[in-house]
Amino acid sequence: PLVEGGAEMPVRYRDRERFVALASEYYMDTSVQRQFESFARGFRHVCNSPLFDVFSPIELEAIVAGQTDLDFTSLRIGAQYEGYQDDDPYIDAFW
């Protein structure tokens, strides 16, 4: 149960926000805490650097995954094709 005696408690409309908050915390944090701690230990074993303590999760994501907002117009302008022209149907379909 999410709260003591919760298995016997109905979820009422007035309690819905509390229930959602508790359920979200359980599924996203509490239920995976042991597995995440194991992952974190392994990750730090492979990638042991004090820099990981300096960056926020968002900054680490940007370092690992790169930029998520891609400028496809600039990519298309800078693209070079071998054996195709930029106005070929296959190229138009790609973009």
Side-chain angles (χ1 to χ4, degrees):
L2 301 174
V3 293
E4 189 173 332
E8 292 81 34
M9 298 170 60
V11 178
R12 296 189 175 93
Y13 184 79
R14 68 176 182 253
D15 302 323
R16 71 191 186 284
E17 289 182 14
R18 180 173 182 241
F19 173 77
V20 169
L22 290 169
S24 297
E25 180 180 348
Y26 174 77
Y27 286 114
M28 301 299 285
D29 186 33
T30 307
S31 71
V32 297
Q33 184 173 2
R34 186 173 52 103
Q35 295 90 335
F36 180 77
E37 287 172 357
S38 295
F39 167 79
R41 277 193 310 276
F43 184 85
R44 290 209 181 263
H45 181 72
V46 173
C47 303
N48 189 17
S49 172
L51 291 176
F52 288 113
D53 297 326
V54 175
F55 293 113
S56 72
I58 292 173
E59 291 168 326
L60 282 174
E61 180 183 11
I63 291 169
V64 172
Q67 184 176 354
T68 57
D69 296 326
L70 300 177
D71 182 358
F72 286 98
T73 302
S74 294
L75 287 171
R76 186 172 188 174
I77 290 170
Q80 297 179 1
Y81 307 102
E82 293 181 15
Y84 295 94
Q85 300 297 320
D86 61 351
D87 58 352
D88 284 346
Y90 293 113
I91 302 301
D92 281 336
F94 174 80
W95 294 108

